[in-house]
Coordinates of all heavy atoms in Angstrom, one line a residue:
K71 N 73.6 76.6 101.4 CA 72.3 76.1 100.6 C 71.5 75.2 101.6 O 70.2 75.3 101.5 CB 72.7 75.3 99.4 CG 73.3 76.4 98.3 CD 73.8 75.6 97.1 CE 74.3 76.5 96.1 NZ 74.9 75.7 94.9
V72 N 72.1 74.2 102.2 CA 71.3 73.3 103.0 C 70.7 74.1 104.1 O 69.5 73.8 104.4 CB 72.3 72.2 103.6 CG1 71.6 71.4 104.7 CG2 72.8 71.3 102.5
L73 N 71.4 74.9 104.8 CA 70.8 75.8 105.9 C 69.6 76.6 105.3 O 68.5 76.7 106.0 CB 71.8 76.7 106.5 CG 71.3 77.6 107.6 CD1 70.8 76.8 108.8 CD2 72.4 78.6 108.1
N74 N 69.7 77.2 104.1 CA 68.7 77.9 103.5 C 67.5 77.0 103.2 O 66.4 77.4 103.4 CB 69.2 78.6 102.2 CG 68.2 79.6 101.6 OD1 67.6 80.3 102.4 ND2 68.2 79.7 100.4
D75 N 67.8 75.8 102.8 CA 66.7 74.8 102.5 C 66.0 74.5 103.8 O 64.7 74.4 103.8 CB 67.3 73.5 101.8 CG 67.7 73.7 100.4 OD1 67.4 74.8 99.8 OD2 68.4 72.8 99.9
V76 N 66.7 74.3 104.9 CA 66.1 74.0 106.2 C 65.2 75.2 106.6 O 64.1 75.0 107.1 CB 67.2 73.7 107.2 CG1 66.6 73.6 108.6 CG2 67.9 72.4 106.9
Q77 N 65.8 76.4 106.5 CA 65.0 77.5 106.9 C 63.7 77.7 106.1 O 62.6 77.9 106.6 CB 65.9 78.8 106.8 CG 66.9 78.9 107.8 CD 66.4 79.1 109.2 OE1 66.0 78.1 109.8 NE2 66.4 80.3 109.8
S78 N 63.9 77.4 104.8 CA 62.7 77.6 103.9 C 61.7 76.5 104.3 O 60.5 76.7 104.3 CB 63.1 77.4 102.4 OG 64.0 78.5 102.1
S79 N 62.2 75.3 104.6 CA 61.3 74.2 104.9 C 60.5 74.5 106.2 O 59.4 74.3 106.4 CB 62.1 72.9 105.1 OG 61.3 71.9 105.6
R80 N 61.3 75.1 107.1 CA 60.6 75.5 108.5 C 59.6 76.5 108.3 O 58.5 76.4 108.8 CB 61.7 76.0 109.5 CG 62.5 74.9 110.0 CD 63.5 75.4 111.0 NE 64.3 74.4 111.5 CZ 65.5 74.6 112.2 NH1 65.9 75.8 112.5 NH2 66.1 73.5 112.7
V81 N 59.9 77.5 107.4 CA 58.8 78.5 107.2 C 57.6 78.0 106.5 O 56.5 78.2 106.9 CB 59.5 79.7 106.3 CG1 58.4 80.6 105.8 CG2 60.5 80.5 107.1
V82 N 57.9 77.1 105.5 CA 56.8 76.5 104.7 C 56.0 75.6 105.7 O 54.7 75.6 105.7 CB 57.3 75.7 103.5 CG1 56.2 74.8 103.0 CG2 57.8 76.6 102.5
N83 N 56.7 74.8 106.5 CA 56.0 73.9 107.4 C 55.2 74.7 108.5 O 54.1 74.3 108.9 CB 57.0 73.0 108.1 CG 57.5 71.9 107.2 OD1 56.9 71.6 106.1 ND2 58.7 71.3 107.5
A84 N 55.8 75.8 109.0 CA 55.1 76.6 109.9 C 53.8 77.2 109.3 O 52.8 77.2 109.9 CB 56.0 77.7 110.5
T85 N 53.9 77.6 108.0 CA 52.7 78.2 107.4 C 51.7 77.1 107.1 O 50.5 77.3 107.4 CB 53.2 78.8 106.0 OG1 54.2 79.7 106.2 CG2 52.0 79.4 105.3
L86 N 52.2 75.9 106.6 CA 51.2 74.9 106.3 C 50.6 74.3 107.7 O 49.4 73.9 107.8 CB 51.9 73.7 105.6 CG 52.3 73.9 104.2 CD1 53.1 72.8 103.6 CD2 51.1 74.2 103.3
S87 N 51.4 74.3 108.7 CA 51.0 73.8 110.0 C 49.9 74.7 110.5 O 48.9 74.2 111.1 CB 52.2 73.7 111.0 OG 51.7 73.3 112.2
S88 N 50.1 75.9 110.4 CA 49.1 76.8 110.9 C 47.8 76.8 110.1 O 46.7 77.0 110.5 CB 49.6 78.3 111.0 OG 49.8 78.8 109.7
E89 N 48.0 76.3 108.8 CA 46.8 76.3 107.9 C 46.2 74.9 108.0 O 44.9 74.8 108.0 CB 47.3 76.5 106.4 CG 47.7 78.0 106.2 CD 48.1 78.1 104.7 OE1 48.2 77.2 104.0 OE2 48.6 79.3 104.4
S90 N 47.0 73.8 108.1 CA 46.3 72.5 108.1 C 46.8 71.6 109.1 O 46.6 70.3 109.1 CB 46.6 71.9 106.7 OG 48.0 71.6 106.6
N91 N 47.4 72.1 110.2 CA 48.0 71.3 111.2 C 49.1 70.3 110.8 O 49.4 69.4 111.4 CB 46.9 70.6 112.0 CG 46.2 71.5 112.9 OD1 46.8 72.6 113.4 ND2 45.0 71.2 113.3
G92 N 49.7 70.6 109.6 CA 50.9 69.8 109.1 C 50.4 68.4 108.6 O 49.5 67.8 109.1
T93 N 51.1 68.0 107.6 CA 50.9 66.5 107.1 C 52.2 65.8 107.3 O 53.3 66.4 107.5 CB 50.6 66.6 105.6 OG1 51.8 67.1 104.9 CG2 49.4 67.4 105.2

Side-chain angles (χ1 to χ4, degrees):
K71 287 177 185 176
V72 170
L73 181 62
N74 193 33
D75 291 345
V76 169
Q77 289 293 80
S78 296
S79 176
R80 285 181 180 167
V81 168
V82 167
N83 287 341
T85 304
L86 291 175
S87 177
S88 66
E89 291 175 1
S90 66
N91 283 337
T93 64

